[in-house]
Amino acid sequence: MEKENRIIMLGTGSATVTRCYNTCFVVESGSDRLMVDAGGGNGILGQLSKAGVAIDDIHHLFVTHAHTDHVLGVVWVVRVIMQHVLEKRYDGVLHVYGNDKVVDVITAICGMTLHKKYNALIGSEILFHRLADGDGFQVGTMDVKCFDIHSKKEPQYGFSLRFGNGERLVCMGDEPCSEQTLQHAAGADWMMCEAFCLYADRERFRPYEKFHSTALDAGTMAEKTGVRNLIVYHTEDTDLAHRKERYTEEVKENFSGNVFVPDDLEVIKL
């Protein structure tokens, strides 16, 4: 039987949102599971619970970069899993993947804030994998390869993930897609791309000053790649009731494929 592939959006907001959670998600293929980022605090524990994702079922966690709204929640996930390991409630190993800065930040925070009996698990039950541009790893039947997005403000990796059925999902990180990185998404079935705000609201939110893009920009770049499906995330949160409708409309001005603007906890079947 073919595995069901899906994305569970734990959060969809940018760094300073208060009406939704910071962007992070889980990619699933059957029982194979990859968590990507964890938001900015222990709210991740509530999001996982609401989504019906047991923290003891998380064994692979990819962290795109070390900004607070992506990495601080990782410390909480690691801390709870450490506790469950000591209580013999967690089977197996937690693998955390990221660039050098990501690993340095997480291990430093753990070292300074967690009990030594927790930190003693690093290197045995908690394994950190330092990734270089182009490195890959396997999560069950999912084949993952990371790539440097050439950020202007923080070392950051996106990834290309190929499912067992051959379909491919590409996550472009939370900065504007450049011509240099678009090659990684060329011909993909699914593309995930940030859109800090609407182009119509650019004077209000000033995305370009913050190294972010608009929904209009996301649609333009996605159209260049030839992808069939575009998932837009990492947005401001001032009008969540109409975000899906308004962002979709603007993306489709330049993109001819299918557009998804998910809410927190929404499940997207791939």
XYZ file of all heavy atoms in Angstrom, residues 58-137:
640
model
N 8.807 11.753 17.480
C 9.728 12.606 16.727
C 11.149 12.080 16.902
O 11.666 12.027 18.022
C 9.650 14.065 17.207
C 8.252 14.630 16.942
C 10.720 14.921 16.509
C 8.010 15.968 17.589
N 11.775 11.680 15.802
C 13.150 11.179 15.843
C 14.068 11.900 14.856
O 15.278 11.656 14.856
C 13.176 9.671 15.568
C 12.567 8.870 16.671
N 11.229 8.553 16.710
C 13.099 8.344 17.797
C 10.969 7.852 17.803
N 12.086 7.716 18.482
N 13.484 12.797 14.030
C 14.274 13.546 13.067
C 13.779 14.992 13.063
O 12.598 15.249 12.800
C 14.158 12.943 11.670
C 14.659 11.538 11.587
N 15.979 11.227 11.319
C 14.010 10.354 11.758
C 16.124 9.916 11.323
N 14.951 9.360 11.585
N 14.690 15.922 13.329
C 14.340 17.345 13.435
C 15.356 18.166 12.656
O 16.548 18.184 12.988
C 14.316 17.753 14.908
C 14.112 19.219 15.282
C 12.889 19.803 14.611
C 13.994 19.345 16.806
N 14.884 18.834 11.601
C 15.732 19.674 10.759
C 15.498 21.129 11.140
O 14.350 21.583 11.194
C 15.382 19.454 9.287
C 16.184 20.286 8.317
C 17.401 19.824 7.826
C 15.719 21.525 7.886
C 18.137 20.580 6.919
C 16.445 22.285 6.979
C 17.663 21.814 6.500
N 16.591 21.854 11.404
C 16.490 23.257 11.815
C 17.111 24.125 10.722
O 18.301 24.010 10.439
C 17.188 23.489 13.167
C 16.929 24.912 13.655
C 16.704 22.480 14.212
N 16.314 24.981 10.127
C 16.765 25.748 8.972
C 17.834 26.773 9.331
O 18.814 26.951 8.602
C 15.587 26.472 8.299
O 14.950 27.339 9.265
C 14.578 25.476 7.758
N 17.643 27.475 10.471
C 18.613 28.490 10.876
C 18.399 28.856 12.338
O 17.449 28.393 12.966
C 18.540 29.716 9.969
C 17.231 30.445 9.983
N 16.051 29.869 9.583
C 16.912 31.724 10.335
C 15.069 30.752 9.670
N 15.566 31.880 10.148
N 19.284 29.704 12.859
C 19.338 29.933 14.303
C 18.601 31.178 14.774
O 18.863 31.656 15.882
C 20.799 29.983 14.763
N 17.676 31.707 13.998
C 16.877 32.818 14.499
C 15.941 32.346 15.606
O 15.485 31.188 15.602
C 16.067 33.451 13.368
C 16.866 34.400 12.525
N 16.438 34.865 11.312
C 18.084 34.979 12.737
C 17.338 35.689 10.797
N 18.349 35.759 11.643
N 15.612 33.237 16.537
C 14.852 32.857 17.728
C 13.528 32.182 17.401
O 13.115 31.252 18.098
C 14.571 34.090 18.606
O 13.936 35.103 17.818
C 15.860 34.641 19.199
N 12.830 32.645 16.357
C 11.507 32.113 16.056
C 11.544 30.746 15.392
O 10.493 30.171 15.093
C 10.709 33.090 15.183
C 11.413 33.460 13.891
O 12.623 33.725 13.934
O 10.746 33.495 12.832
N 12.727 30.212 15.184
C 12.865 28.873 14.604
C 13.572 27.906 15.552
O 13.296 26.709 15.541
C 13.652 28.948 13.289
C 12.954 29.717 12.219
N 12.226 29.131 11.218
C 12.856 31.055 12.014
C 11.703 30.064 10.435
N 12.079 31.241 10.904
N 14.478 28.428 16.381
C 15.376 27.551 17.122
C 15.034 27.392 18.603
O 15.340 26.354 19.196
C 16.835 28.045 16.961
C 17.104 29.259 17.845
C 17.830 26.943 17.230
N 14.399 28.387 19.228
C 14.185 28.286 20.673
C 13.202 27.178 21.037
O 13.345 26.522 22.079
C 13.718 29.628 21.235
C 14.751 30.753 21.179
C 14.203 32.022 21.843
C 16.050 30.334 21.859
N 12.211 26.946 20.187
C 11.304 25.833 20.438
C 11.997 24.487 20.354
O 11.569 23.511 20.997
N 13.085 24.425 19.581
C 13.852 23.180 19.473
C 14.405 22.783 20.837
O 14.421 21.596 21.195
C 14.999 23.337 18.451
C 15.887 22.091 18.442
C 14.444 23.603 17.062
N 14.848 23.768 21.612
C 15.386 23.476 22.936
C 14.330 22.800 23.805
O 14.628 21.865 24.556
C 15.907 24.758 23.607
C 16.394 24.471 25.025
C 17.028 25.377 22.774
N 13.079 23.242 23.673
C 11.999 22.622 24.452
C 11.712 21.193 23.992
O 11.496 20.298 24.807
C 10.734 23.474 24.357
C 10.808 24.674 25.239
C 11.190 25.932 24.896
C 10.524 24.704 26.634
N 11.164 26.752 25.983
C 10.751 26.031 27.069
C 10.092 23.765 27.559
C 10.569 26.432 28.394
C 9.898 24.154 28.872
C 10.134 25.471 29.280
N 11.719 20.980 22.685
C 11.515 19.615 22.177
C 12.629 18.700 22.667
O 12.378 17.594 23.160
C 11.453 19.616 20.636
C 11.420 18.179 20.097
C 10.227 20.383 20.144
N 13.867 19.157 22.551
C 15.017 18.365 22.998
C 14.930 18.106 24.494
O 15.162 16.984 24.964
C 16.337 19.079 22.640
C 17.523 18.390 23.299
C 16.525 19.122 21.130
N 14.573 19.134 25.252
C 14.495 18.986 26.710
C 13.452 17.951 27.132
O 13.698 17.104 27.999
C 14.152 20.340 27.338
C 14.145 20.307 28.878
C 12.768 20.730 29.415
N 12.779 20.834 30.854
C 12.454 19.839 31.671
N 12.107 18.657 31.166
N 12.481 19.984 32.972
N 12.274 17.988 26.511
C 11.226 17.026 26.877
C 11.641 15.615 26.475
O 11.432 14.654 27.234
C 9.887 17.421 26.227
C 8.855 16.311 26.407
C 9.373 18.714 26.831
N 12.236 15.468 25.294
C 12.681 14.136 24.877
C 13.776 13.622 25.802
O 13.794 12.437 26.166
C 13.139 14.170 23.406
C 11.910 14.323 22.497
C 13.917 12.893 23.043
C 12.218 14.438 21.023
N 14.680 14.504 26.226
C 15.698 14.097 27.207
C 15.053 13.559 28.476
O 15.464 12.531 29.024
C 16.601 15.283 27.550
C 17.593 15.675 26.480
S 18.454 17.205 26.947
C 19.817 17.211 25.775
N 14.024 14.272 28.941
C 13.323 13.832 30.144
C 12.684 12.466 29.934
O 12.760 11.584 30.795
C 12.260 14.852 30.520
C 11.440 14.478 31.754
C 10.416 15.545 32.094
O 10.618 16.723 31.813
N 9.302 15.129 32.671
N 12.065 12.273 28.782
C 11.417 11.000 28.491
C 12.432 9.865 28.344
O 12.143 8.719 28.703
C 10.567 11.121 27.221
C 9.330 11.939 27.419
N 8.350 12.046 26.457
C 8.910 12.691 28.470
C 7.384 12.828 26.906
N 7.703 13.239 28.114
N 13.616 10.186 27.812
C 14.679 9.169 27.743
C 15.044 8.715 29.146
O 15.149 7.505 29.422
C 15.921 9.735 27.017
C 17.111 8.783 27.206
C 15.641 9.927 25.535
N 15.224 9.659 30.052
C 15.606 9.319 31.422
C 14.500 8.547 32.138
O 14.780 7.731 33.019
C 15.950 10.589 32.201
C 17.218 11.318 31.721
C 17.377 12.642 32.451
C 18.457 10.450 31.927
N 13.263 8.792 31.742
C 12.125 8.084 32.327
C 11.809 6.789 31.571
O 10.821 6.116 31.892
C 10.888 8.984 32.312
C 11.030 10.219 33.198
C 9.887 11.202 33.024
O 9.095 11.040 32.055
O 9.780 12.129 33.840
N 12.648 6.489 30.570
C 12.490 5.282 29.747
C 11.150 5.250 29.025
O 10.526 4.208 28.851
C 12.685 4.022 30.602
C 14.047 3.962 31.299
C 14.284 2.634 31.965
C 15.585 2.618 32.731
N 16.765 3.045 31.924
N 10.740 6.425 28.554
C 9.490 6.553 27.800
C 9.746 6.812 26.327
O 8.806 6.855 25.533
C 8.638 7.693 28.376
C 8.181 7.479 29.800
C 7.658 8.769 30.418
N 6.633 9.416 29.603
C 6.173 10.653 29.853
N 6.651 11.350 30.868
N 5.242 11.174 29.080
N 11.001 7.000 25.952
C 11.351 7.346 24.579
C 12.228 6.257 24.000
O 13.287 5.940 24.547
C 12.099 8.689 24.562
C 12.432 9.225 23.177
C 11.494 9.938 22.447
C 13.696 9.038 22.620
C 11.795 10.450 21.190
C 14.010 9.548 21.367
C 13.061 10.247 20.662
O 13.365 10.751 19.423
N 11.792 5.694 22.885
C 12.558 4.625 22.233
C 13.364 5.185 21.073
O 12.846 5.925 20.243
C 11.613 3.528 21.711
C 10.903 2.807 22.850
O 11.516 2.623 23.911
O 9.724 2.427 22.653
N 14.622 4.805 21.014
C 15.449 5.208 19.897
C 16.248 6.467 20.175
O 16.492 6.844 21.317
N 16.624 7.153 19.086
C 17.512 8.305 19.137
C 16.843 9.494 18.472
O 16.123 9.339 17.483
C 18.842 7.979 18.417
C 19.730 9.211 18.301
C 19.580 6.857 19.140
N 17.081 10.702 19.019
C 16.640 11.919 18.354
C 17.803 12.462 17.528
O 18.882 12.734 18.052
C 16.213 12.977 19.368
C 15.913 14.369 18.776
C 14.710 14.300 17.831
C 15.679 15.394 19.879
N 17.576 12.631 16.221
C 18.571 13.203 15.313
C 18.190 14.648 15.022
O 17.075 14.918 14.551
C 18.620 12.419 14.001
C 19.007 10.985 14.172
N 20.318 10.559 14.142
C 18.246 9.870 14.378
C 20.365 9.249 14.311
N 19.125 8.805 14.454
N 19.090 15.571 15.299
C 18.868 16.992 15.027
C 19.859 17.421 13.950
O 21.073 17.245 14.112
C 19.048 17.850 16.286
C 18.762 19.318 15.972
C 18.146 17.354 17.416
N 19.331 17.993 12.853
C 20.156 18.355 11.707
C 20.175 19.876 11.533
O 19.130 20.536 11.634
C 19.590 17.742 10.421
C 19.333 16.255 10.487
C 18.094 15.766 10.921
C 20.303 15.338 10.105
C 17.835 14.404 10.964
C 20.053 13.968 10.140
C 18.818 13.505 10.582
O 18.565 12.160 10.630
N 21.354 20.417 11.244
C 21.442 21.844 10.984
C 22.851 22.252 10.630
O 23.793 21.452 10.717
N 23.017 23.510 10.246
C 24.353 24.005 9.954
C 25.142 24.214 11.252
O 24.605 24.038 12.350
C 24.293 25.277 9.107
C 23.544 26.413 9.789
O 23.735 26.695 10.966
N 22.684 27.092 9.038
N 26.399 24.593 11.131
C 27.252 24.743 12.313
C 26.672 25.717 13.328
O 26.674 25.455 14.535
C 28.646 25.220 11.905
C 29.494 24.120 11.288
O 29.176 22.934 11.495
O 30.476 24.444 10.594
N 26.158 26.850 12.854
C 25.599 27.861 13.759
C 24.406 27.297 14.517
O 24.260 27.507 15.729
C 25.190 29.096 12.947
C 24.469 30.182 13.734
C 25.388 31.006 14.586
C 24.648 32.171 15.250
N 24.233 33.223 14.292
N 23.537 26.579 13.840
C 22.366 25.969 14.480
C 22.796 25.032 15.609
O 22.288 25.104 16.731
C 21.523 25.208 13.437
C 20.564 24.229 14.118
C 20.738 26.181 12.570
N 23.715 24.136 15.311
C 24.159 23.170 16.319
C 24.842 23.877 17.488
O 24.597 23.551 18.654
C 25.104 22.128 15.691
C 25.691 21.222 16.758
C 24.353 21.305 14.639
N 25.656 24.869 17.199
C 26.345 25.602 18.264
C 25.352 26.309 19.179
O 25.499 26.292 20.407
C 27.311 26.628 17.669
C 28.535 25.998 17.031
O 28.802 24.811 17.314
O 29.219 26.693 16.254
N 24.332 26.934 18.599
C 23.352 27.670 19.396
C 22.539 26.729 20.280
O 22.355 26.964 21.482
C 22.426 28.497 18.487
C 21.217 29.008 19.263
C 23.183 29.665 17.876
N 22.033 25.637 19.698
C 21.192 24.720 20.478
C 21.989 24.069 21.601
O 21.528 24.009 22.756
C 20.568 23.644 19.573
C 19.663 24.280 18.530
C 19.774 22.629 20.408
C 19.168 23.314 17.475
N 23.170 23.586 21.295
C 23.958 22.919 22.326
C 24.411 23.903 23.401
O 24.497 23.542 24.578
C 25.173 22.194 21.715
O 25.935 23.115 20.915
C 24.729 21.032 20.856
N 24.678 25.159 23.024
C 25.071 26.165 24.014
C 23.919 26.462 24.969
O 24.109 26.529 26.193
C 25.530 27.443 23.322
N 22.703 26.633 24.420
C 21.551 26.914 25.278
C 21.267 25.724 26.189
O 20.997 25.896 27.394
C 20.312 27.259 24.437
C 20.540 28.556 23.668
C 19.078 27.397 25.334
C 19.429 28.906 22.701
N 21.324 24.523 25.636
C 21.119 23.326 26.466
C 22.174 23.264 27.575
O 21.858 22.983 28.735
C 21.188 22.068 25.611
S 19.770 21.805 24.517
N 23.423 23.532 27.223
C 24.496 23.460 28.198
C 24.346 24.454 29.326
O 24.699 24.167 30.478
N 23.802 25.631 29.012
C 23.667 26.686 30.014
C 22.379 26.611 30.816
O 22.293 27.181 31.907
C 23.756 28.055 29.336
C 25.140 28.384 28.800
S 25.266 30.081 28.163
C 24.268 29.951 26.664
N 21.370 25.906 30.290
C 20.052 25.964 30.941
C 19.510 24.624 31.421
O 18.558 24.612 32.210
C 19.009 26.577 29.978
O 18.880 25.750 28.811
C 19.418 27.987 29.564
N 20.073 23.515 30.968
C 19.547 22.209 31.346
C 20.481 21.503 32.323
O 21.694 21.727 32.326
C 19.334 21.330 30.107
C 18.366 21.858 29.050
C 18.207 20.842 27.928
C 17.019 22.226 29.647
N 19.914 20.628 33.137
C 20.679 19.863 34.124
C 21.724 18.996 33.421
O 21.503 18.523 32.291
C 19.725 18.984 34.940
C 20.337 18.397 36.163
N 21.126 17.269 36.125
C 20.291 18.787 37.469
C 21.526 16.964 37.343
N 21.041 17.875 38.179
N 22.831 18.768 34.095
C 23.922 17.994 33.499
C 23.499 16.575 33.130
O 24.046 15.975 32.204
C 25.122 17.965 34.434
C 24.871 17.317 35.786
C 26.131 17.377 36.667
C 25.904 16.727 38.015
N 27.118 16.821 38.881
N 22.504 16.018 33.848
C 22.068 14.659 33.508
C 21.352 14.642 32.155
O 21.351 13.619 31.460
C 21.163 14.089 34.597
C 19.827 14.790 34.769
C 19.015 14.162 35.907
C 17.677 14.873 36.094
N 16.901 14.285 37.215
N 20.717 15.780 31.778
C 20.112 15.889 30.455
C 21.196 16.021 29.388
O 21.188 15.338 28.357
C 19.182 17.100 30.388
C 17.878 16.964 31.145
C 17.013 18.036 31.261
C 17.506 15.766 31.730
C 15.801 17.930 31.942
C 16.312 15.639 32.419
C 15.460 16.719 32.517
O 14.267 16.591 33.186
N 22.125 16.930 29.622
C 23.181 17.175 28.643
C 24.077 15.965 28.436
O 24.702 15.826 27.376
C 24.015 18.385 29.065
C 23.297 19.697 28.780
O 23.059 20.041 27.638
N 22.939 20.414 29.840
N 24.121 15.074 29.423
C 24.925 13.859 29.288
C 24.399 12.946 28.192
O 25.115 12.060 27.710
C 24.966 13.110 30.622
N 23.145 13.181 27.757
C 22.547 12.348 26.708
C 22.987 12.764 25.305
O 22.795 12.020 24.351
C 21.018 12.426 26.798
C 20.391 11.936 28.115
C 18.903 12.214 28.121
C 20.658 10.454 28.322
N 23.568 13.972 25.193
C 24.034 14.439 23.895
C 25.234 13.610 23.451
O 26.208 13.451 24.182
C 24.408 15.934 23.949
C 23.163 16.773 24.252
C 25.048 16.376 22.635
C 23.429 18.257 24.422
N 25.131 13.054 22.277
C 26.176 12.179 21.756
C 25.800 10.717 21.813
O 26.461 9.874 21.206
N 24.710 10.427 22.527
C 24.240 9.033 22.592
C 22.772 8.978 22.153
O 22.462 8.597 21.027
C 24.416 8.457 24.001
O 23.813 9.301 24.978
N 21.848 9.417 23.033
C 20.426 9.420 22.661
C 20.018 10.666 21.877
O 18.998 10.660 21.183
C 19.556 9.297 23.918
C 19.489 7.894 24.500
C 20.717 7.546 25.329
O 21.538 8.460 25.581
O 20.856 6.370 25.729
N 20.770 11.742 22.009
C 20.508 12.973 21.264
C 21.708 13.231 20.371
O 22.803 13.549 20.857
C 20.292 14.184 22.202
C 19.303 13.847 23.326
C 19.847 15.403 21.397
C 17.891 13.576 22.866
N 21.543 13.092 19.063
C 22.655 13.235 18.123
C 22.465 14.479 17.258
O 21.429 14.647 16.616
C 22.756 12.003 17.226
C 23.034 10.664 17.925
C 23.135 9.554 16.884
C 24.306 10.730 18.759
N 23.465 15.345 17.260
C 23.457 16.531 16.417
C 24.308 16.275 15.172
O 25.445 15.815 15.279
C 23.995 17.739 17.175
C 23.044 18.259 18.225
C 23.098 17.780 19.530
C 22.094 19.203 17.906
C 22.223 18.236 20.501
C 21.205 19.674 18.866
C 21.265 19.194 20.164
N 23.744 16.589 14.011
C 24.429 16.367 12.742
C 24.710 17.722 12.089
O 23.774 18.450 11.739
C 23.558 15.518 11.819
C 23.169 14.198 12.397
N 23.944 13.061 12.257
C 22.081 13.821 13.138
C 23.352 12.041 12.871
N 22.216 12.482 13.408
N 25.985 18.049 11.949
C 26.386 19.305 11.319
C 26.379 19.118 9.802
O 27.161 18.333 9.258
C 27.772 19.720 11.800
C 27.818 20.059 13.291
C 29.237 20.385 13.741
N 29.290 20.711 15.149
C 29.167 21.938 15.650
N 29.021 22.967 14.814
N 29.210 22.146 16.951
N 25.510 19.849 9.136
C 25.344 19.690 7.702
C 26.087 20.778 6.926
O 26.090 21.943 7.323
C 23.864 19.754 7.333
C 22.943 18.712 7.970
C 21.502 18.965 7.539
C 23.371 17.305 7.609
N 26.674 20.390 5.837
C 27.251 21.321 4.882
C 26.345 21.390 3.663
O 25.490 20.520 3.451
C 28.666 20.872 4.484
N 26.514 22.421 2.871
C 25.719 22.592 1.659
C 25.799 21.339 0.791
O 26.883 20.861 0.457
C 26.258 23.800 0.895
C 25.468 24.114 -0.351
O 24.279 23.740 -0.415
O 26.035 24.749 -1.263
N 24.634 20.771 0.473
C 24.587 19.583 -0.373
C 24.528 18.274 0.374
O 24.336 17.221 -0.249
N 24.688 18.307 1.698
C 24.621 17.072 2.480
C 23.194 16.535 2.500
O 22.220 17.284 2.368
C 25.078 17.310 3.919
C 26.583 17.389 4.055
O 27.276 17.080 3.081
O 27.062 17.776 5.148
N 23.072 15.230 2.704
C 21.767 14.604 2.754
C 21.630 13.641 3.914
O 22.616 13.288 4.560
N 20.406 13.227 4.168
C 20.132 12.218 5.185
C 18.813 11.541 4.844
O 18.021 12.037 4.039
C 20.105 12.825 6.595
C 19.098 13.942 6.789
C 17.819 13.678 7.249
C 19.449 15.259 6.510
C 16.901 14.711 7.442
C 18.537 16.298 6.685
C 17.264 16.018 7.159
